[in-house]
Structures are given as structure tokens and as C-alpha cells.
């Protein structure tokens, strides 16, 4: 049985409309990408992102939320922040300097999931997605979902287009198990970006 806190997962993204999966395939020719590693010291994990990202303390990130002028958006973000902060496992926040993209990393209990488990994850999230959109005036359209796994690393990915009266952005979610550790990374951006190449470079000690 897949042991994942469904409310924490829902804090990262809202809705899944189908269970269609694709398998990640590495390009025949690898194109080098520039960036740098950001250390999540308490959990011995290093994530690779473009150089123009900045890691925030929990208080700094909360202060950014409190500065949001729209009351509905502020309440939505504050609720998400509190769920991630107070649930079991460390949480880390990063943003690019233009603040067009933010990244959340939530440490979870170890779960060596399979492709079948990923399908169950879609089902869990689908049960609760509608209630997550009530009262916040948002809609969510799934773009794609995928799974990749070998003996040492498992990755589940899903991408969505999120629309509200105020903005349109893309939410890309990764559940990762590597070296007996499990964690969830969520990218939220005004741009439709493929983050797979950055996920491949994550170091877990």
C-alpha cells in the first residue's frame, strides 16, 4: 500500500483528470545545462537549479506571502505554507530572482513506489482535487504525467496549467525516491518549462 499523506501532496498541486502515463526517456544527445547546486543540509540532498535562484528561510517565505495584496491569494498561499511547514518532514523553499518561479521541496517518509503506485497516487489526488478548488476561484488542466524507475531511483511527474482570474501558471510536481530517501518537489512558474534535466542531476547522500 502506498503510504503518502494525501493532504501534503494536495498542497503541491490541485487536480488530475486522467491516469495516462508516459515513461521518461533521456535524449540521445545530452545537452549541457548551466546552474548550481543548492544544499538541503538537514537532509543531505542537493538540488540543481539555474544560478538565478535563491533559497529562502521559512520566515522569509512567509513574509513574502503576507505581502500579497489579494486576500484570496494570500489565504490560499498561507494555508499551503502551513500544511507544508507543520506536517512531518522538513520543507524548503526557493524562488528565481524575478519571482516568476517558486520551488518547494518536502521531505517524506521513505516510499519505494512503483508505476502501479503512481497510478494509485493519481487516484488519491483526484478524490480531493475538487474540494481544493472550491472557494479559491481556480481551475486546473493536466498537461502530462510520467513515471521512471530503476533499482535505485523512482520518479513520478505530473504537470498542470493553473488558471485564475488573476494569473495563469504551470505547476510541475515530482515525487522522488533515491538512496532510501523520498521527497516531493513542486515547481510553480508563469512559464511552461521542462525540469526533467534538473531532476536528473539531484544528489542524495
Amino acid at each position: 500500500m502506498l503510504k503518502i499523506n494525501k493532504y501534503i501532496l494536495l498542497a503541491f498541486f490541485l487536480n488530475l483528470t486522467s491516469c495516462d502515463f508516459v515513461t521518461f526517456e533521456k535524449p540521445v544527445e545530452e545537452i549541457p545545462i548551466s546552474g548550481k547546486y543548492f544544499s538541503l543540509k538537514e537532509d543531505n540532498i542537493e538540488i540543481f537549479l539555474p544560478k538565478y535562484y535563491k533559497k529562502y528561510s521559512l520566515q522569509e517565505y512567509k513574509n513574502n506571502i503576507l505581502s500579497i495584496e489579494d486576500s484570496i491569494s494570500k489565504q490560499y498561499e498561507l494555508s499551503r505554507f502551513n500544511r507544508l511547514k507543520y506536517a512531518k518532514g522538513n520543507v524548503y523553499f526557493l524562488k528565481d530572482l524575478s519571482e516568476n518561479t517558486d520551488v518547494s521541496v518536502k521531505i517524506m517518509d521513505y516510499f519505494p513506489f512503483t508505476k502501479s503506485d503512481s497510478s494509485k497516487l493519481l487516484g488519491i489526488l483526484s478524490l480531493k482535487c475538487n474540494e481544493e478548488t472550491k472557494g479559491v476561484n481556480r481551475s486546473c488542466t493536466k498537461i502530462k504525467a510520467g513515471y521512471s524507475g530503476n533499482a535505485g531511483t523512482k520518479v513520478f511527474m505530473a504537470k498542470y496549467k493553473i488558471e485564475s482570474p488573476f494569473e495563469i501558471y504551470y505547476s510541475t510536481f515530482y515525487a522522488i525516491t533515491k538512496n532510501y530517501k523520498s521527497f516531493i518537489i513542486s515547481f510553480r512558474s508563469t512559464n511552461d518549462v521542462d525540469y526533467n534535466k534538473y531532476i536528473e542531476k539531484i544528489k542524495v547522500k
Side-chain angles (χ1 to χ4, degrees):
M1 181 177 179
L2 187 61
K3 295 181 180 178
I4 306 176
N5 187 316
K6 60 187 176 183
Y7 297 101
I8 296 306
L9 296 174
L10 284 164
F12 282 94
F13 68 110
L14 303 179
N15 189 13
L16 291 164
T17 55
S18 71
C19 295
D20 300 324
F21 285 92
V22 296
T23 300
F24 301 141
E25 292 183 0
K26 288 188 177 182
V28 176
E29 233 180 275
E30 269 199 43
I31 301 173
I33 58 170
S34 62
K36 71 175 185 179
Y37 280 97
F38 293 83
S39 178
L40 312 182
K41 291 182 180 179
E42 293 183 35
D43 294 282
N44 290 320
I45 296 171
E46 294 184 11
I47 61 173
F48 190 80
L49 293 171
K51 295 179 180 179
Y52 48 83
Y53 276 71
K54 176 186 174 182
K55 184 180 169 187
Y56 287 78
S57 70
L58 294 181
Q59 189 59 52
E60 287 173 332
Y61 194 82
K62 183 177 181 180
N63 289 342
N64 281 344
I65 293 173
L66 294 176
S67 69
I68 297 173
E69 293 184 2
D70 179 72
S71 60
I72 294 176
S73 295
K74 181 191 294 186
Q75 183 56 44
Y76 174 83
E77 292 297 332
L78 193 58
S79 176
R80 174 180 180 268
F81 171 81
N82 286 332
R83 285 197 299 267
L84 293 172
K85 178 181 177 180
Y86 293 111
K88 182 180 178 182
N90 294 321
V91 62
Y92 305 88
F93 296 100
L94 303 94
K95 283 188 175 185
D96 68 351
L97 297 181
S98 64
E99 298 199 350
N100 290 325
T101 304
D102 71 47
V103 183
S104 304
V105 184
K106 180 66 180 178
I107 308 302
M108 308 291 289
D109 289 335
Y110 174 61
F111 57 101
F113 58 90
T114 64
K115 186 174 182 179
S116 175
D117 291 327
S118 295
S119 182
K120 293 175 186 177
L121 172 56
L122 286 172
I124 291 170
L125 293 166
S126 296
L127 290 174
K128 291 290 180 178
C129 66
N130 288 330
E131 70 181 50
E132 283 291 306
T133 59
K134 286 179 182 177
V136 294
N137 205 12
R138 295 171 185 249
S139 67
C140 179
T141 304
K142 193 194 78 169
I143 297 175
K144 62 180 177 180
Y147 169 83
S148 178
N150 57 40
T153 304
K154 318 287 184 184
V155 181
F156 164 76
M157 180 276 290
K159 177 179 282 191
Y160 313 87
K161 183 179 181 180
I162 312 295
E163 297 182 78
S164 78
F166 314 103
E167 63 182 345
I168 297 174
Y169 65 91
Y170 296 88
S171 181
T172 308
F173 165 96
Y174 293 88
I176 302 168
T177 286
K178 186 172 184 177
N179 289 354
Y180 301 100
K181 293 181 181 180
S182 298
F183 50 99
I184 295 168
I185 302 180
S186 175
F187 296 85
R188 297 189 301 170
S189 178
T190 54
N191 303 310
D192 185 4
V193 178
D194 183 352
Y195 298 102
N196 288 355
K197 55 195 176 213
Y198 294 101
I199 295 300
E200 290 173 4
K201 289 183 173 290
I202 288 175
K203 296 178 181 179
V204 181
K205 300 176 183 177

